[in-house]
Amino acid sequence: MSRLNISKLQEQLLSWYARHRRVMPWRAERGRKPDPYRVWLSEIMLQQTTVVTVTPYFTKFIAKWPTVAALAGASLDEVLTAWAGLGYYTRARNLHKCAQIIAEKFKGKFPVTVDGLRELPGIGPYTAAAIASIAFSRQAVAVDGNVERVVSRFFAIEEPLPSSKEIIRGRAAQLAGDNRHPGDFTQAFMELGATVCTPRKPRCMFCPWQRECRANKLGITEGLPNKSPKVRKPVRYGKVFWIQKKSGAFLIEKRTAKGLYEGMYQLPTSEWVADRRIAKKFAAPYYSSQLRFYPLNQKIRHSFTHFDLVLEIWTAAAKNPVKAPCGNFVFMEDIGGYALPTLMQKAIKLCAKTQVA
Ligand code: SF4
């Protein structure tokens, strides 16, 4: 590849961004200083999640908790309830923890460096670089999936992901160099990947780097980045239990086990195990010995990052009082007040169609 004129490439990208940047609720208006709280909140929400999905959640959080101090003053239950449906709930728990640290230890001010930010819960290398550059104009390279794609194509890196990550990071740093506007550059880099250098049919005609892009010259844009073949995810099996009173109220309980969905609400559920035969034998929870359970002829399927889940649904009518130490009977119209993950929202919708009382 001929010697690149890095400062010219930076200027081309920044001037493209000045013309084509999308308006987003967390993005500072042109000429305005970004609000670190908004930048941090959006970056946490955008981890593994699209702009379209995040936008209403971001708007809701800002209306409810306009400052980091306000968020720190909320209970974890309130934060989990507002987060319900956005997935990856460890993010919400870390968000709350982080807000409390910022409010109490840092008097409401976020650290301005990548190293300082990385000390905080829920902030990894990518998020720290994004916040440091966007909120505090620090030179830092934030490499997300969009940037990976642009860089792989621009340099025609044929080594497959994920083993090419380090090469890509180095090349991204080369392009970012020391630029005049680190915050705009970070956002422009991602924006180019999101809107022009798209996974399918990149719109190279509109790309400010078209003349220098190696994949474009070689006609191999859509083939990059190369990815190692996907390993099939393991499957886990279990049961979920729908216990409904004649009034229509049904039982939900708070999940106390550490880890996935900790502190959130759920329909009573068995363990989730790899062996389908073991899962078939799981009994209903101990407080339901007076209940007769019947299988529903439908299953709930849900995909997590590391495994897929298949849950059988068993239903019972609660004719007598049910002893459920961690549970509440609730009505459908009230479930918005509970932190229910998407999996459980799906299960409730499906079960509610079947009247068992
Ligand atoms: S020219 Fe095409 S492939 Fe190359 S960076 Fe631009 S949009 Fe991506």
Side-chain angles (χ1 to χ4, degrees):
M1 197 168 203
S2 58
R3 216 176 145 70
L4 291 171
N5 184 338
I6 297 293
S7 49
K8 186 174 166 198
L9 288 168
Q10 290 170 353
E11 288 308 319
Q12 286 170 335
L13 184 61
L14 286 168
S15 105
W16 170 83
Y17 181 66
R19 279 175 283 126
H20 299 287
R21 72 206 287 276
R22 291 174 294 175
V23 174
M24 293 186 188
W26 47 85
R27 217 168 238 179
E29 283 172 33
R30 224 172 257 130
R32 289 281 178 91
K33 263 188 141 185
D35 173 356
Y37 171 58
R38 286 177 166 243
V39 175
W40 163 73
L41 181 59
S42 65
E43 286 299 335
I44 302 294
M45 288 184 164
L46 287 163
Q47 290 168 0
Q48 329 256 2
T49 315
T50 63
V51 167
V52 174
T53 306
V54 164
T55 300
Y57 282 89
F58 179 86
T59 311
K60 173 168 69 177
F61 266 66
I62 288 292
K64 224 169 153 59
W65 301 298
T67 62
V68 72
L71 182 59
S75 69
L76 178 58
D77 243 12
E78 289 175 296
V79 173
L80 285 171
T81 303
W83 192 278
L86 198 51
Y88 302 100
Y89 296 93
T90 307
R91 290 184 299 170
R93 280 187 283 275
N94 281 332
L95 185 88
H96 187 242
K97 237 186 266 169
C98 184
Q100 292 185 324
I101 293 171
I102 297 296
E104 284 158 28
K105 193 168 158 198
F106 295 97
K107 309 264 177 291
K109 300 237 182 297
F110 282 83
V112 301
T113 63
V114 170
D115 289 346
L117 287 159
R118 284 210 58 188
E119 299 282 309
L120 295 165
I123 300 188
Y126 160 78
T127 307
I131 299 170
S133 60
I134 299 169
F136 303 113
S137 243
R138 298 285 165 139
Q139 299 287 353
V141 190
V143 182
D144 70 347
N146 288 315
V147 172
E148 270 177 359
R149 189 166 54 254
V150 173
V151 172
S152 303
R153 289 172 177 171
F154 186 82
F155 291 101
I157 297 168
E158 300 212 28
E159 166 108 19
L161 280 166
S163 57
S164 58
K165 274 188 186 283
E166 272 316 303
I167 305 171
I168 291 174
R169 179 170 296 282
R171 290 299 205 171
Q174 184 189 352
L175 288 170
D178 268 347
N179 67 77
R180 282 190 303 122
H181 299 291
D184 279 354
F185 190 86
T186 294
Q187 293 176 91
F189 217 162
M190 296 183 201
E191 192 91 329
L192 186 67
T195 61
V196 175
C197 196
T198 45
R200 300 226 175 109
K201 296 194 175 43
R203 301 184 308 131
C204 301
M205 275 176 64
F206 303 101
C207 178
W209 288 350
Q210 187 190 11
R211 282 170 64 92
E212 299 283 5
C213 174
R214 194 157 164 73
N216 183 54
K217 281 183 194 156
L218 297 170
I220 56 169
T221 54
E222 266 204 78
L224 295 177
N226 272 324
K227 292 193 177 155
S228 303
K230 276 199 176 160
V231 181
R232 272 191 78 170
K233 277 198 256 184
V235 183
R236 291 191 200 165
Y237 302 90
K239 288 180 181 171
V240 69
F241 301 96
W242 173 262
I243 303 165
Q244 186 179 319
K245 285 183 174 175
K246 204 167 178 140
S247 61
F250 56 94
L251 186 67
I252 59 170
E253 57 182 21
K254 195 165 188 174
R255 194 167 168 100
T256 48
K258 289 258 170 237
L260 194 70
Y261 294 161
E262 180 189 344
M264 301 194 75
Y265 284 83
Q266 63 177 13
L267 295 178
T269 175
S270 68
E271 277 179 72
W272 303 341
V273 295
D275 191 326
R276 191 199 304 237
R277 285 163 306 177
I278 291 176
K280 283 229 165 272
K281 291 183 189 151
F282 281 135
Y286 68 94
Y287 47 73
S288 54
S289 53
Q290 297 176 358
L291 301 169
R292 284 183 73 94
F293 280 91
Y294 299 94
L296 206 63
N297 197 16
Q298 296 199 57
K299 291 190 175 76
I300 301 286
R301 293 172 200 277
H302 194 75
S303 193
F304 292 95
T305 316
H306 300 298
F307 65 94
D308 289 328
L309 179 67
V310 182
L311 293 179
E312 282 183 8
I313 304 169
W314 288 70
T315 65
K319 296 200 172 97
N320 301 310
V322 174
K323 224 165 100 197
C326 308
N328 302 341
F329 276 90
V330 295
F331 289 98
M332 189 59 91
E333 56 270 32
D334 297 327
I335 62 168
Y338 293 88
L340 285 156
T342 306
L343 162 67
M344 290 298 160
Q345 291 178 20
K346 267 197 240 175
I348 288 171
K349 264 190 208 148
L350 196 59
C351 294
K353 284 187 195 161
T354 312
Q355 293 299 313
V356 293

